[in-house]
Amino acid sequence: MKITPGLQRELIFLSSGSLVLLVLGSIMDARLELLSAGLIFYMFWTLYNLNRLLSWLVKPSKNTPETLGIWDEAYYRLYHLYKRQRKARRKLSKILKRFQQSTQALPYATIVLNKAGEIEWFNPAASELFSLQLNQDLGQRIDNLIRQPEFAQYFSRREFGLPLEFQSYQQRILLNITRYGSGKYLLSARDITQRVKLDEMRNDFISNASHELRTPVTVMSGYVEMLRDMEFDLPEQQPEQQLEQQLEQPLEKIHQQIQRMEKIIAELIELAKLETSAVADKSQAVDMRKLIDEIRSEALLLDQQKHELDFPVETDSKHIEIYGEYNELRMAFSNLMSNAIRYTPENASIKFFVHTDEGGVNIGVKDQGRGISYEHIPRLTERFYRVDEGRSREKGGTGLGLAIVKQVLERHGASLFIESTPGEGSEFRCYFPAASE
Ligand code: ADP
């Protein structure tokens, strides 16, 4: 143990005091008596100071008791410790206050839950969104207060990887739960009614505009068809053949553009239709054999033997079971197949695969095409997003195919995974988790 300078000084003082008492004792011939009296005095002095220290520790203040020797040093050190602690406490309470002010001001409803799902703390936004009362709802289980069945299910599963969107009376709520600390939960939620309304308005607008455009485009298409087939009865000075030749090219171009517009309109209407209901009817199992057969025949027709097409044999698909709307799923898979055919150079191979793993069913398309650079991948399912617009147009693309695929999968509780290496090829995999069936 290290002897501190304070103790050293105290020991020197004690030994010199004892020496003085011994000398005085020798003169007075009462060495033992004087030494004992000195030690008893020192003991009482120590007890007195100990008592003062205890009283100070019970109620520490800026004013430390006036004393001498090692006690003075002990007070000096204790006082500094006390000052440091006070400063740290003040800093901490300032931080806490600021944190509380910011969480109070958060526009998102924030609720802290304990392991059992009981409310420990919530901010005013939570009190407003879920009508919580400070004096009666603290300590209550959250699923007794948010009583929507979707929430009860979500909370009881304790799987909070994805946010939950649900209807609570007139409001649409988006809610997230995060685990933190030792088994606590942080719930944050916000009212997205307005956003959903705007989305609905946007979808209604697109759907109405597409429907409105469909009729004039169909009429135009009919007239262009008629003009293309028409035999011209012309005056002699303008030979028929010459005019036909002059008109042939523009008419062909108009015809192509009208076909493109018809395709875009049809796909926009399809997307709007898919967006009107969030979930697909999953009561029926999909006939996998029929689905693969149809996609194969369609692909063979579109491909015109330009690629090496590989389809699963019957035994591969025998144990595959997915549930949902046959026509939607067929449309999604054939979109993936037609993309692979359109964007893969001739003679390369394209594989349509189906397989199960412990978590669910995987269905998709793998090609040996030119691939897609990683920065485009997260945006591919956005409407009208194309890696190379010119190329997409040239191949008859609308930029809506993958948006439709994503929407169909979302309605089936499935996800789209895209992996691609430029120069090597791409894989578009639709994953149907077992739980969603
Ligand atoms: P498009 O009608 O333009 O094909 P999609 O939404 O189907 O629209 O696809 C978006 C874009 O993703 C395409 O324009 C293309 O650039 C890219 N893409 C899709 N599939 C493939 C693929 N198999 N290989 C390479 N690029 C692809």
Side-chain angles (χ1 to χ4, degrees):
M1 192 182 65
K2 198 178 157 227
I3 296 180
T4 60
L7 184 62
Q8 275 174 17
R9 278 196 296 275
E10 192 70 5
L11 287 174
I12 293 170
F13 169 75
L14 255 181
S15 26
S16 28
S18 310
L19 207 70
V20 171
L21 286 177
L22 273 176
V23 173
L24 274 177
S26 309
I27 297 167
M28 293 161 67
D29 200 16
R31 256 183 292 174
L32 209 63
E33 289 82 346
L34 266 184
L35 202 61
S36 317
L39 283 177
I40 288 169
F41 174 78
Y42 186 76
M43 198 179 78
F44 274 107
W45 162 252
T46 308
L47 286 175
Y48 167 70
N49 276 306
L50 205 61
N51 187 43
R52 278 175 29 161
L53 175 65
L54 285 176
S55 317
W56 186 83
L57 282 176
V58 170
K59 207 174 165 200
S61 73
K62 258 204 276 187
N63 305 320
T64 49
E66 294 275 332
T67 183
L68 294 167
I70 196 166
W71 289 102
D72 193 37
E73 179 151 352
Y75 279 124
Y76 174 78
R77 302 254 171 237
L78 272 171
Y79 176 65
H80 274 274
L81 200 70
Y82 164 72
K83 231 169 73 177
R84 268 213 306 273
Q85 256 186 0
R86 248 172 51 138
K87 213 167 143 189
R89 217 177 30 220
R90 239 182 279 142
K91 205 168 146 189
L92 209 69
S93 64
K94 245 193 214 161
I95 294 174
L96 205 70
K97 204 166 159 195
R98 234 180 296 149
F99 171 75
Q100 274 182 343
Q101 277 170 348
S102 53
T103 40
Q104 299 272 334
L106 264 181
Y108 297 156
T110 311
I111 306 177
V112 173
L113 303 170
N114 66 13
K115 231 184 222 171
E118 291 157 353
I119 300 180
E120 288 195 341
W121 180 89
F122 58 84
N123 68 351
S127 138
E128 199 177 318
L129 190 63
F130 298 117
S131 312
L132 300 180
Q133 312 259 316
L134 249 184
N135 41 5
Q136 70 185 50
D137 292 332
L138 280 180
Q140 295 281 343
R141 276 185 63 98
I142 188 73
D143 39 2
N144 287 339
L145 298 170
I146 305 178
R147 299 202 60 92
Q148 279 67 25
E150 299 100 311
F151 177 77
Q153 252 178 30
Y154 179 73
F155 193 67
S156 65
R157 249 187 280 138
R158 297 284 201 272
E159 277 170 20
F160 304 127
L162 292 174
L164 171 74
E165 197 182 312
F166 66 101
Q167 191 72 24
S168 166
Y169 306 104
Q170 301 298 317
Q171 292 164 313
R172 191 91 197 145
I173 291 175
L174 185 70
L175 177 146
N176 268 293
I177 297 185
T178 320
R179 250 191 213 99
Y180 79 100
S182 50
K184 296 207 178 201
Y185 300 100
L186 184 74
L187 181 154
S188 68
R190 67 196 156 107
D191 180 359
I192 53 162
T193 318
Q194 214 53 26
R195 200 196 76 192
V196 171
K197 266 197 190 133
L198 279 174
D199 275 354
E200 276 169 10
M201 272 165 66
R202 190 197 59 167
N203 288 345
D204 283 353
F205 170 76
I206 294 175
S207 159
N208 291 341
S210 316
H211 275 106
E212 289 297 324
L213 284 171
R214 191 153 66 171
T215 318
V217 169
T218 314
V219 173
M220 274 157 59
S221 164
Y223 277 114
V224 170
E225 286 289 339
M226 196 181 81
L227 282 171
R228 285 171 79 214
D229 298 340
M230 218 152 130
E231 301 273 329
F232 290 96
D233 187 11
L234 297 154
E236 262 158 41
Q237 62 268 39
Q238 190 155 31
E240 187 181 328
Q241 267 184 337
Q242 204 183 331
L243 184 74
E244 259 191 53
Q245 271 168 10
Q246 277 175 2
L247 279 177
E248 198 179 349
Q249 237 194 354
L251 277 177
E252 185 53 37
K253 284 260 176 317
I254 296 173
H255 174 68
Q256 278 171 8
Q257 292 307 318
I258 285 179
Q259 272 191 327
R260 223 173 90 72
M261 273 165 79
E262 280 179 330
K263 203 169 161 203
I264 292 176
I265 290 169
E267 289 190 357
L268 278 174
I269 291 175
E270 194 58 57
L271 250 178
K273 221 162 63 189
L274 289 171
E275 279 168 354
T276 47
S277 70
V279 280
D281 171 12
K282 285 196 270 174
S283 56
Q284 300 284 319
V286 170
D287 182 345
M288 282 309 285
R289 233 179 66 185
K290 183 171 160 212
L291 184 102
I292 296 170
D293 273 352
E294 284 191 10
I295 289 174
R296 184 197 283 117
S297 340
E298 209 177 86
L300 290 173
L301 205 71
L302 181 70
D303 191 54
Q304 302 286 320
Q305 295 186 323
K306 290 201 177 97
H307 301 97
E308 213 178 282
L309 299 185
D310 182 3
F311 279 88
V313 285
E314 208 183 317
T315 45
D316 290 345
S317 57
K318 225 173 181 171
H319 307 292
I320 303 283
E321 271 190 0
I322 56 168
Y323 292 81
E325 313 235 355
Y326 180 87
N327 286 332
E328 282 182 24
L329 291 166
R330 195 188 67 98
M331 174 170 62
F333 302 138
S334 63
N335 269 349
L336 295 182
M337 199 62 202
S338 89
N339 274 354
I341 291 173
R342 283 182 297 131
Y343 298 112
T344 303
E346 282 185 26
N347 300 323
S349 80
I350 297 170
K351 184 181 167 81
F352 184 80
F353 60 83
V354 289
H355 62 81
T356 42
D357 60 29
E358 63 277 15
V361 174
N362 295 282
I363 304 178
V365 179
K366 190 173 167 64
D367 65 52
Q368 290 179 337
R370 57 189 65 219
I372 307 158
S373 276
Y374 76 96
E375 71 271 17
H376 296 293
I377 290 178
R379 301 197 57 192
L380 288 182
T381 53
E382 285 174 23
R383 291 167 197 213
F384 297 115
Y385 187 85
R386 283 162 284 203
V387 176
D388 178 345
E389 194 160 332
R391 205 176 145 73
S392 159
R393 260 175 226 273
E394 177 200 319
K395 299 278 178 187
T398 58
L400 292 168
L402 291 178
I404 291 178
V405 173
K406 186 181 168 214
Q407 197 62 37
V408 169
L409 295 184
E410 257 174 31
R411 278 167 50 76
H412 286 80
S415 321
L416 177 68
F417 293 95
I418 307 171
E419 276 173 37
S420 188
T421 314
E424 285 183 23
S426 318
E427 181 183 289
F428 290 76
R429 179 168 58 90
C430 309
Y431 178 65
F432 297 80
S436 77
E437 288 163 24

